[in-house]
Amino acid sequence: MPEVKGIKLVLEDGTVFEGKSFGYHKSVAGEVVFNTAMTGYPESLTDPSYKGQILVSTYPLIGNYGVPKDDKDENGIPLFYESDQIHISGLIISDYSFEYSHWNAKNSLREWLIQNQVPGIFDIDTRALTKILREKGSMLGKILIDDEDIEQYNPNTDNLVAQVSTKEKKVYGNGKHKVVLVDTGAKYNILRCLLKRDTTVVQVPWDYDFTQEDYDGIMLSNGPGNPEMCTKTVENIKKAIEIGKPIFGICLGNQLLGIASGGSTYKLKYGHRAHNHPVIKLGTDSCHITSQNHGFALDNDSLKNDWAPLFVNVNDKSNEGIYHKTKPFFSTQFHPEASSGPTDTEFLFDDFINLIEKSKQ
């Protein structure tokens, strides 16, 4: 690739950060968001929920363990990634490690970004940048190479889910419980967590009428962007609520289940993107440390009579899950499948399977 003369981040308020390039050489625009996790960049970069976003890592040293091999399991699912490609639009870090060392490393982060045509910028004061994003909220921004200017782009005005969802129905596994995975940008670890619990998983596109399927339970996946864009998914969830078989939603799935039940959502000031968000299960003293990645939240006050909050965020009191008071429906705003992050709440997949077994009786 030709030598880059200059690379900079330009925020929509006019703030400019000059840095050095370590990725693909092209100008990009998107929503600038930050993640405070210390590890897990291969998983984060391949998480479809980051579609359209320029990701800032607040942890200063990135790249020191490279990126893993692209090995797949017996179902053809990558062992170490959350989708088949990088979904972020650009990566912003403080210090890039040109040396990497890890038993499972195949490539450097730089090589991987170049292969996926994603720009990376380092030698940025990410603490100063994060301070701006915390005070003013998530902002539009652009990474500019050699002063090649482009228009600002707001990903939340597009249907990002339609861009990242599977295009066709796929079947994985051969277990006794048949689960429909509604793919609004599903991470592979949701699939892995289901498959190791004796399930057959039918993965369907975001706008597919899954109520026509013969199923035991429905998994509503995570995904990017504004939940209000997923009107077709919400219509199908409403039908599934009428059918009454168990439903488990994660992240965007929590918001869509909430909207289908009559609730509403709003955009958080700067979102939750980290490995260490504490959530409390309401009615208990039980606190869990969770992995999170979302920019929108469900409004607790908008929930209808039959629904109630299940978890609440300790930091800002925002909704972290809901449940139906009499029927087998529940969801979480955080990621019980983690990948990356703490696996403390993976037991919720067992709770979902227990609901399926109970409803079969």
Side-chain angles (χ1 to χ4, degrees):
M1 274 194 301
E3 193 60 36
V4 174
K5 294 190 185 75
I7 184 168
K8 61 189 176 186
L9 169 71
V10 182
L11 298 178
E12 65 176 309
D13 70 351
T15 307
V16 177
F17 289 87
E18 305 222 354
K20 295 169 185 156
S21 173
F22 74 102
Y24 191 74
H25 298 166
K26 75 170 177 182
S27 297
V28 295
E31 182 182 24
V32 184
V33 300
F34 65 89
N35 186 320
T36 63
M38 294 171 67
T39 59
Y41 57 81
E43 294 92 335
S44 290
L45 270 59
T46 54
D47 180 349
S49 294
Y50 279 117
K51 182 74 176 173
Q53 294 178 330
I54 296 171
L55 179 62
V56 181
S57 176
T58 65
Y59 188 68
L61 182 66
I62 299 293
N64 55 321
Y65 61 93
V67 292
K69 305 181 187 89
D70 195 18
D71 294 350
K72 293 181 168 62
D73 66 14
E74 67 276 6
N75 293 299
I77 303 167
L79 292 172
F80 308 110
Y81 295 109
E82 288 309 304
S83 70
D84 296 321
Q85 66 185 85
I86 294 180
H87 285 284
I88 63 165
S89 296
L91 181 61
I92 300 167
I93 64 174
S94 172
D95 187 14
Y96 176 63
S97 175
F98 286 89
E99 300 290 322
Y100 67 91
S101 176
H102 192 275
W103 66 268
N104 193 32
K106 180 192 175 192
N107 270 329
S108 71
L109 175 56
R110 179 177 184 271
E111 289 167 324
W112 191 43
L113 288 176
I114 291 169
Q115 285 166 10
N116 284 268
Q117 301 192 0
V118 175
I121 177 170
F122 77 103
D123 208 11
I124 293 278
D125 186 344
T126 49
R127 289 195 297 182
L129 173 56
T130 303
K131 217 170 165 186
I132 291 170
L133 297 175
R134 273 187 66 98
E135 287 169 3
K136 298 188 177 180
S138 297
M139 276 194 213
L140 302 185
K142 42 195 179 180
I143 294 174
L144 300 181
I145 298 271
D146 296 340
D147 291 324
E148 178 211 333
D149 203 2
I150 54 173
E151 291 290 311
Q152 291 284 16
Y153 165 62
N154 183 357
N156 296 310
T157 59
D158 279 349
N159 186 342
L160 301 174
V161 164
Q163 296 175 32
V164 298
S165 175
T166 182
K167 301 293 182 268
E168 60 191 8
K169 186 167 93 168
K170 299 173 186 169
V171 180
Y172 296 92
N174 189 26
K176 65 180 178 184
H177 306 303
K178 190 173 180 185
V179 175
V180 170
L181 171 60
V182 184
D183 179 6
T184 50
K187 288 163 64 183
Y188 275 137
N189 211 39
I190 293 177
L191 199 46
R192 296 183 200 109
C193 286
L194 289 171
L195 289 171
K196 69 184 185 186
R197 287 171 170 81
D198 199 11
T199 60
T200 301
V201 180
V202 182
Q203 185 177 11
V204 300
W206 71 283
D207 55 352
Y208 180 89
D209 185 0
F210 50 84
T211 59
Q212 301 170 356
E213 295 287 322
D214 175 29
Y215 64 85
D216 300 317
I218 291 168
M219 169 64 73
L220 306 173
S221 84
N222 64 292
N226 187 344
E228 301 290 345
M229 296 287 177
C230 302
T231 49
K232 287 182 181 170
T233 319
V234 169
E235 284 168 21
N236 291 325
I237 296 169
K238 284 178 179 173
K239 287 194 258 183
I241 288 171
E242 290 298 316
I243 292 168
K245 290 181 181 177
I247 301 173
F248 178 18
I250 292 174
C251 196
L252 180 65
N254 176 60
Q255 297 160 22
L256 297 181
L257 183 61
I259 292 170
S261 71
S264 60
T265 58
Y266 63 97
K267 194 172 192 317
L268 292 163
K269 185 177 179 184
Y270 46 80
H272 297 162
R273 297 173 184 88
H275 285 170
N276 61 347
H277 273 277
V279 306
I280 282 188
K281 186 173 184 182
L282 289 174
T284 74
D285 294 328
S286 179
C287 183
H288 304 284
I289 302 300
T290 64
S291 178
Q292 304 207 5
N293 176 17
H294 58 101
F296 288 81
L298 193 56
D299 181 358
N300 278 326
D301 295 333
S302 71
L303 295 175
K304 300 302 179 235
N305 293 341
D306 294 335
W307 296 80
L310 181 57
F311 295 95
V312 68
N313 190 293
V314 176
N315 295 336
D316 64 6
K317 304 296 182 271
S318 62
N319 177 273
E320 291 288 355
I322 59 173
Y323 74 101
H324 193 280
K325 291 174 183 175
T326 58
K327 293 180 179 175
F329 315 141
F330 76 104
S331 57
T332 67
Q333 187 56 62
F334 54 88
H335 288 268
E337 84 286 359
S339 194
S340 55
T343 55
D344 303 30
T345 54
E346 199 187 311
F347 68 86
L348 291 166
F349 284 91
D350 299 321
D351 291 355
F352 178 49
I353 299 301
N354 290 338
L355 284 176
I356 287 174
E357 288 175 341
K358 219 188 261 182
S359 77
K360 280 179 164 180
Q361 292 164 7

